[in-house]
Amino acid sequence: MDMREDTELTLVVDRLAFGGKGVARVDGLVVFVDGGLPGATVRAKVTKVKKGFAEALVVETLTVAPQAVAAPCPHFGVCGGCLHQDLDYAAQLFWKRQQVAETLSRLGGLRDVDVAPVVASPDIYGYRNKMEFAFAGRLHLGLHERQRPGRVLDIENCLLMDDRVGDILAFVRETCADTGLAAYDPRTGKGVWRHLVLRRSLATGGRLVHLITAPSRRAGDAAQHLGESLLERFPDVSGFVHSVRRNPMAVAIGERQISALGADHLEERIGEVRLRISADAFAQTNTRAAEKLYAEVARAAGSAPDRALWDVYCGCGGIALALAPGFETVYGVEADKRAVADARKAAKSSGRDNCVFKAGDAATVLADLAATKPAVVTIDPPRAGVDGQTLAAVMDAAPDKLVYVSCNPATLARDLKTLSDLYTLNQVTPVDLFPHTAHIEVVAALELRK
């Protein structure tokens, strides 16, 4: 058929693709259907036509999917924070496992991989210990809209975090609006307010509020007032940090910390490990599921009491500290100096005297560590995967075991294809740290070919 944009089609959705969209077919053409659930019949409007596939948006559900459920959040469908509150959680886990297997097969040529059932999150609501909210206009504060990501939806509350988040959001939104200062606009470089990052410790109940603005003298005074007001108004807010960011890219990371009131970090506990988490630190955002993730990594890594372990892209040290009892020495490698400082303090408070954390470019640091000849290497890279030089350094070290933790099955598939020259992939275990979203964490266990 001659398919064009704005054409309306009746589609039967077969499955969920990696990324969360439904998949249907029309005359052999694949149509990715935003809002389509497996087993549903929908009326959808075509939004994009490309060579070999099309994209469409559900206009009306004609036959409800067998595993559809009512989404409890009033923002669902408009807000871009969730995709699948309307799909039963067991079905979410089923399709995430399928997506991991299909991605490894299609992009990595790994067709006979043992993909274990997904390790479920202990909590499917209220599970996030960190949320990033964006400012826009004069003055919105919330999450980007699902269909119009350039717009910010004012959020009354987010069910992925605890109930108090809505009260803090409303207070910050009103306080910032009262200043008369606008949100930062990356197109013009004007405006002040950029992001609000809320963190909460499950161990202590304390909160850290991180405000990120564009550089501005007026913003500094306004931020100081906001921080003082938050500490006074909300007893569980134990710290407030104000940072500035000049880069126009919309990333909730501060380039320079301006001030801090109260504590400038949180303390968290995952199993026996005590973590120190600063405002910009990377840490797993689902504390209880992270404990399950660490257990899977530990199971795959095993132990070598008289040998070393390298933990590459170690962040604030969670995996390194969790695995430390099984090795003579653990070397954590991380580019972010602030995260390394947190990891060193966490090692001291956790009694992990055999942990050594080094800051710097991973490939360079690993070259310096080559003489330690690790028995095991764990890797937990960002979504872009492992850079070529670092992957080469790991392969040169030739550890007996390699445990790759990934938040992106696509780049995992790419890197596993490279590693297959030296390593056998024994098992892949998905761990769900992100219920109701398209994201999935994966633990890949590899063994050196003898």
Side-chain angles (χ1 to χ4, degrees):
M1 66 177 293
D2 183 19
M3 189 179 298
R4 300 180 181 182
E5 290 185 11
D6 294 332
T7 301
E8 289 197 359
L9 306 169
T10 298
L11 303 171
V12 177
V13 181
D14 296 326
R15 59 190 178 88
L16 284 183
F18 176 53
K21 292 183 178 179
V23 179
R25 294 180 182 272
V26 177
D27 296 337
L29 181 70
V30 173
V31 182
F32 294 103
V33 188
D34 192 348
L37 298 180
T41 302
V42 301
R43 184 165 60 88
K45 179 181 287 188
V46 177
T47 57
K48 189 179 296 184
V49 180
K50 296 286 188 179
K51 185 178 179 179
F53 71 95
E55 296 181 11
L57 176 66
V58 170
V59 175
E60 180 183 5
T61 299
L62 305 175
T63 303
V64 176
Q67 293 169 310
V69 297
C73 179
H75 300 300
F76 181 74
V78 179
C79 176
C82 291
L83 285 180
H84 294 137
Q85 283 190 24
D86 56 349
L87 183 64
D88 179 73
Y89 186 55
Q92 294 181 37
L93 298 180
F94 171 84
W95 287 109
K96 286 185 177 185
R97 180 178 182 272
Q98 293 294 107
Q99 290 158 11
V100 170
E102 290 171 5
T103 302
L104 294 180
S105 175
R106 180 170 54 86
L107 298 181
L110 305 166
R111 295 178 178 81
D112 299 317
V113 179
D114 179 13
V115 179
V118 180
V119 177
S121 173
D123 307 297
I124 64 172
Y125 287 105
Y127 64 84
R128 290 192 68 106
N129 58 44
K130 175 192 175 187
M131 287 287 290
E132 301 170 357
F133 299 96
F135 289 95
R138 290 181 178 271
L139 189 72
H140 299 289
L141 174 60
L143 296 171
H144 292 279
E145 293 189 8
R146 180 167 172 172
Q147 298 302 328
R148 297 180 293 183
R151 298 186 57 164
V152 170
L153 176 70
D154 285 324
I155 298 295
E156 295 178 6
N157 199 17
C158 179
L159 298 187
L160 300 189
M161 212 168 176
D162 65 283
D163 294 341
R164 291 284 281 166
V165 166
D167 295 336
I168 296 174
L169 281 176
F171 181 80
V172 172
R173 187 185 298 118
E174 181 179 354
T175 303
C176 291
D178 287 345
T179 66
L181 300 173
Y184 175 79
D185 186 341
R187 296 168 299 180
T188 64
K190 297 181 179 179
V192 170
W193 312 112
R194 298 198 64 165
H195 288 92
L196 182 76
V197 183
L198 303 182
R199 292 184 183 266
R200 180 173 181 267
S201 166
L202 195 64
T204 68
R207 298 181 192 273
L208 183 65
V209 178
H210 185 195
L211 176 71
I212 302 170
T213 71
S216 164
R217 182 176 298 177
R218 292 186 65 190
D221 294 338
Q224 181 76 13
H225 170 69
L226 174 63
E228 292 170 353
S229 300
L230 281 165
L231 291 171
E232 181 179 354
R233 176 74 173 269
F234 299 96
D236 53 348
V237 173
S238 53
F240 173 84
V241 173
H242 172 215
S243 296
V244 298
R245 180 173 175 82
R246 295 179 183 273
N247 193 314
M249 289 184 63
V251 178
I253 296 174
E255 294 169 344
R256 182 165 60 93
Q257 183 172 311
I258 300 300
S259 63
L261 299 172
D264 63 355
H265 67 280
L266 289 179
E267 293 186 1
E268 185 59 278
R269 183 180 290 274
I270 300 180
E272 297 179 357
V273 173
R274 297 175 63 182
L275 294 179
R276 176 189 169 96
I277 302 173
S278 296
D280 272 329
F282 168 77
Q284 298 292 351
T285 57
N286 183 337
T287 304
R288 295 183 66 201
E291 189 167 353
K292 292 181 174 291
L293 176 72
Y294 289 1
E296 289 298 326
V297 174
R299 182 177 61 81
S303 63
D306 58 347
R307 296 186 63 190
L309 176 143
W310 292 354
D311 182 23
V312 188
Y313 306 104
C314 69
C316 58
I319 290 175
L321 296 172
L323 271 57
F327 296 86
E328 182 177 41
T329 309
V330 171
Y331 297 94
V333 181
E334 170 61 45
D336 187 344
K337 293 180 180 179
R338 293 170 296 185
V340 168
D342 283 345
R344 289 169 177 163
K345 291 174 181 176
K348 186 175 182 179
S349 62
S350 298
R352 301 296 200 244
D353 297 333
N354 63 332
C355 287
V356 179
F357 292 99
K358 294 182 174 291
D361 170 72
T364 302
V365 175
L366 294 185
D368 293 340
L369 290 175
T372 64
K373 299 186 181 303
V376 179
V377 172
T378 58
I379 311 176
D380 188 3
R383 290 189 62 78
V386 185
D387 71 87
Q389 289 183 318
T390 300
L391 200 60
V394 170
M395 294 175 74
D396 286 344
D400 297 332
K401 292 181 180 180
L402 180 60
V403 186
Y404 191 134
V405 182
S406 172
C407 60
N408 185 350
T411 52
L412 171 65
R414 179 200 69 198
D415 292 342
L416 289 179
K417 188 174 183 179
T418 300
L419 290 165
S420 65
D421 292 341
L422 285 180
Y423 286 87
T424 299
L425 179 60
N426 289 332
Q427 189 177 60
V428 171
T429 305
V431 182
D432 190 25
L433 272 69
F434 313 100
H436 312 302
T437 78
H439 301 297
I440 184 70
E441 204 84 5
V442 183
V443 179
L446 300 96
E447 191 167 0
L448 185 68
R449 291 200 184 99
K450 301 299 185 182

